[in-house]
Amino acid sequence: MTSPAVPRTQERMIHDVWLPDETVDLRARARVAVEKHLAPVAREIGAREESRDSFPWEAFRGLAGEGLFAVPFAEPFGPGLEFPMLATCTVTEEIAYHSSSMAGVYDGQCLLVPQTLAHASSELREQLIPQLTSGETSFSFATTEPDTSSDLTAERMSTVATRVDGGFTVTGRKRWITNSVVAGWVSVLVRAEDTDRAAMLLVDLRSPGVRIGEPDLKMGHRGQITADIVFDDVHVPAANLLGEWGNGLGVALGSLVRGRIGIGAAGVGVAQAALDLAVERLRTRHAFGGPLGAMQHWQFTMARRATEIESARTLYQKAATLLDRGDRTAMPEAAMAKEAGTRLANDIVREAIQIHGVVGFARQVSESGESVRLEEMYRDAKILEIFEGANELQNWIIARQLIGRDVTG
């Protein structure tokens, strides 16, 4: 099952005024790599039911082989870009244009985990970063539990680490963990038992006492395979502490702010793909004596959406650039980027289905073989508003900055 390629409206609508040359160049290289390694299999990835054997290793390692997993890192592990966060988010948008679920995989591998490894020892970094950048090993990032997600305060967490001779013992359960069924390592947020604060540990998933659950069966994002990780008295060496004991929440939030911006970029990629499909349909589908695009309702709707996409793209670029310039939180731009990009993805996919009619709703027209990927995109887009901090949380963050914490709490 494949979708016909359509022209990219971005090429004739958008001008790179402030974007650094290194980012423009990388976007061009990333687009070629994504078209080569991901686009031909993206529909298959989106249609698979999740299983332990369905992880898209070929596309994963193909993108890694083109150097896209090295983008976040300084030399000697990566290219040492001046604006690595901006570059990584730009790659995320290019991946999401063809596969939102693969953008989720890339987010975990190249935005969440690298930030935790910044707090690792030089020995661990030298051992593990080459495995990450080459795609040899998949990595996971684990904060969510069955009873806590957006609220990551230590008192809410049931996964506990206890100090023992030579390190720590971890017991508990993490849920909805991306790549867990194939990952070699996980950065995991735990409650530090003797402090009632959080700690971040790097756990070898081959350790005794680790059990990976069966893959979750989700409405969408089927290429982003998730599953529970259960820890039963798992020993973690002292050298695998990421950051300081009791300061794990700070490590986690440093990763999550990057993840939020990245998911905002993914939302822009999905929105752009949906807009391109909608515009092509408006140009080529005729009704009532003329093309659908002659109807002023759709002209004005698409004009507004094109404006909103560029606004959302600028938001994630600005938030990423702030981090690259040393702003540790990028508030409120990070929250705005996540909320705006992901909401827009859902809105435009829904409108693109409306423009396509029943053929947009169908997985495939059996008699003709006609198929567009909007059904998959619609299933995929919803999760973007939920994970990496639900959009309601992002609006609360924005409101606290806007109105003041003394009023909002």
Side-chain angles (χ1 to χ4, degrees), residues 23-302:
T23 310
V24 175
D25 293 342
L26 175 65
R27 182 179 61 199
R29 291 192 288 109
R31 186 167 298 180
V32 171
V34 170
E35 293 283 352
K36 177 181 178 181
H37 297 285
L38 176 58
V41 296
R43 294 296 303 280
E44 179 190 348
I45 290 170
R48 296 173 187 166
E49 184 166 289
E50 298 95 332
S51 73
R52 293 183 182 274
D53 298 325
S54 66
F55 185 79
W57 279 115
E58 183 178 357
F60 181 85
R61 288 180 171 148
L63 297 177
E66 300 283 354
L68 298 189
F69 289 9
V71 169
F73 294 101
E75 295 178 336
F77 303 112
L81 298 172
E82 184 180 0
F83 298 98
M85 179 63 188
L86 176 60
T88 309
C89 290
T90 300
V91 173
T92 303
E93 180 187 344
E94 290 299 320
I95 293 172
Y97 186 90
H98 286 286
S99 173
S100 181
S101 61
M102 280 301 293
V105 172
Y106 186 77
D107 172 74
Q109 185 87 353
C110 296
L111 282 167
L112 297 177
V113 171
Q115 181 59 23
T116 67
L117 293 180
H119 299 271
S121 67
S122 57
E123 291 79 12
L124 274 176
R125 287 170 57 81
E126 290 171 4
Q127 174 190 352
L128 296 181
I129 293 178
Q131 296 180 32
L132 185 155
T133 58
S134 67
E136 173 189 342
T137 304
S138 173
F139 287 73
S140 286
F141 176 87
T143 57
T144 301
E145 298 184 356
D147 294 322
T148 186
S149 180
S150 294
D151 182 358
L152 296 177
T153 51
E155 57 266 25
R156 292 285 300 159
M157 281 189 290
S158 60
T159 303
V160 178
T162 304
R163 289 183 186 266
V164 296
D165 289 343
F168 316 94
T169 297
V170 178
T171 298
R173 180 187 295 266
K174 293 296 181 178
R175 178 153 290 174
W176 308 121
I177 307 307
T178 297
N179 299 347
S180 55
V181 296
V182 295
W185 296 82
V186 62
S187 299
V188 58
L189 188 68
V190 298
R191 177 161 51 88
E193 187 177 50
D194 58 350
T195 67
D196 284 330
R197 299 183 67 184
M200 183 71 82
L201 300 174
L202 185 65
V203 180
D204 185 340
L205 290 176
R206 297 157 294 189
S207 302
V210 174
R211 181 175 67 83
I212 308 298
E214 289 299 311
D216 304 309
L217 303 180
K218 309 185 300 300
M219 179 173 76
H221 262 225
R222 294 180 180 178
Q224 185 181 5
I225 301 171
T226 65
D228 283 17
I229 304 178
V230 180
F231 303 94
D232 184 6
D233 288 331
V234 177
H235 178 73
V236 181
N240 288 25
L241 176 65
L242 299 172
E244 297 179 1
W245 182 251
N247 194 36
L249 184 58
V251 176
L253 292 178
S255 293
L256 287 170
V257 72
R258 285 162 170 76
R260 288 168 183 169
I261 299 169
I263 296 304
V268 171
V270 172
Q272 184 70 62
L275 181 76
D276 292 352
L277 288 167
V279 167
E280 183 68 6
R281 184 73 169 181
L282 290 173
R283 289 177 52 81
T284 58
R285 177 69 170 178
H286 284 68
F288 304 106
L292 286 180
M295 296 180 178
Q296 193 176 71
H297 166 77
W298 289 121
Q299 292 174 11
F300 286 7
T301 298
M302 292 296 102

